Amino acid sequence: MIKILSVRFLDIGAGIPTRGNVHEVGHAVDPEARVVYVDNDPIVATHGRALLKGGGRTGVVEADMRAPETIVDSPITRGLIDFDRPLAVLFVSVLHFVDDDDADRVVAYFRERMAPGSYLVIAHGTQGRLSEQTLSETRRVYEKSSAALDDRAPERIAEFFDGFELVPPGLVDVADWRNDNDHIEHSSGGYVLGGVGRLL
Ligand SMILES: C[S@@+](CC[C@H](N)C(=O)[O-])C[C@H]1O[C@@H](n2cnc3c(N)ncnc32)[C@H](O)[C@@H]1O
């Protein structure tokens, strides 16, 4: 009998895992799927732990992705994820909160540890069709928050997928990425791009 190995997800910059989150989507496909949520906000991590209590197939790691070794070396990650096997690493709406050097370094760190056949998932803010005035107001708002916003150009975001083969439809408006949900409007205005890459 062929045993199908369960899938693993490392969701970095996870936010609070509410309805329809990664573990729910993953478990709908594979009840044995393992999910590690990572966030540097202690309030998010505390809520996440409370919501996921009693899981066993999910874990929460409070860590700053700019110190990626604290994620990989965490006993929670080690207990749920085996880097010798393909996994999915998610950076959904988080890379735009760190500067170029950190973003490149963190993605490269995981790329070097991911087994071939692993997937990289990125959603990233960009300028899209927003006016210069809206953009500068948006940046000003983020400057007053815990992290500034770096709305990189699409070509720059695509560079994070170096070494990966983009899965169709490629790096597109996140609302259009295989959108077969009637309740999700097509096109976000192009200011959040999403893509999935398979490690070669
Ligand atoms: C916009 S939310 C995205 C949440 C979720 N991924 C989603 O798409 O719904 C960004 C999250 O990233 C976290 N975050 C920001 N900078 C981070 C860092 N350096 N390391 C880890 N998490 C970070 C924030 O605390 C926040 O929960």
Side-chain angles (χ1 to χ4, degrees):
M1 192 175 85
I2 297 172
K3 163 102 175 85
I4 297 178
L5 298 169
S6 53
V7 288
R8 266 70 172 146
F9 298 91
L10 184 57
D11 184 357
I12 300 176
I16 295 174
T18 52
R19 279 182 58 201
N21 218 290
V22 174
H23 66 287
E24 292 177 326
V25 176
H27 288 157
V29 177
D30 172 9
E32 291 305 311
R34 302 281 189 269
V35 181
V36 174
Y37 289 111
V38 180
D39 207 286
N40 68 344
D41 183 331
I43 296 172
V44 168
T46 304
H47 275 281
R49 282 189 200 104
L51 280 167
L52 299 170
K53 209 159 65 183
R57 293 162 299 167
T58 55
V60 177
V61 175
E62 184 185 325
D64 190 319
M65 67 178 178
R66 288 168 293 187
E69 65 285 355
T70 59
I71 299 172
V72 170
D73 293 342
S74 153
I76 294 167
T77 307
R78 288 191 172 278
L80 290 167
I81 287 179
D82 173 2
F83 281 87
D84 291 334
R85 286 177 31 203
L87 80 155
V89 178
L90 283 62
F91 293 98
V92 177
S93 294
V94 68
L95 282 175
H96 47 230
F97 291 129
V98 296
D99 67 27
D100 277 340
D101 286 350
D102 282 331
D104 286 335
R105 184 175 54 80
V106 169
V107 173
Y109 181 93
F110 284 100
R111 181 172 52 232
E112 281 159 21
R113 280 155 187 80
M114 291 158 76
S118 293
Y119 288 90
L120 173 70
V121 179
I122 294 177
H124 194 300
T126 188
Q127 298 169 8
R129 293 190 291 277
L130 295 178
S131 69
E132 205 36 62
Q133 187 190 345
T134 307
L135 279 169
S136 49
E137 281 166 10
T138 308
R139 289 178 192 133
R140 264 204 303 281
V141 168
Y142 276 102
E143 272 156 24
K144 289 187 203 138
S145 77
S146 55
L149 177 72
D150 190 342
D151 42 23
R152 299 184 173 93
E155 304 73 35
R156 183 66 183 85
I157 298 168
E159 288 175 13
F160 293 126
F161 289 101
D162 282 355
F164 293 84
E165 180 180 47
L166 273 173
V167 171
L171 184 63
V172 296
D173 186 324
V174 76
D176 290 333
W177 203 94
R178 300 200 187 178
N179 183 356
D180 51 7
N181 292 304
D182 292 340
H183 62 285
I184 299 179
E185 269 182 41
H186 284 265
S187 187
S188 67
Y191 51 83
V192 181
L193 295 183
V196 177
R198 186 172 189 275
L199 189 63
L200 300 168

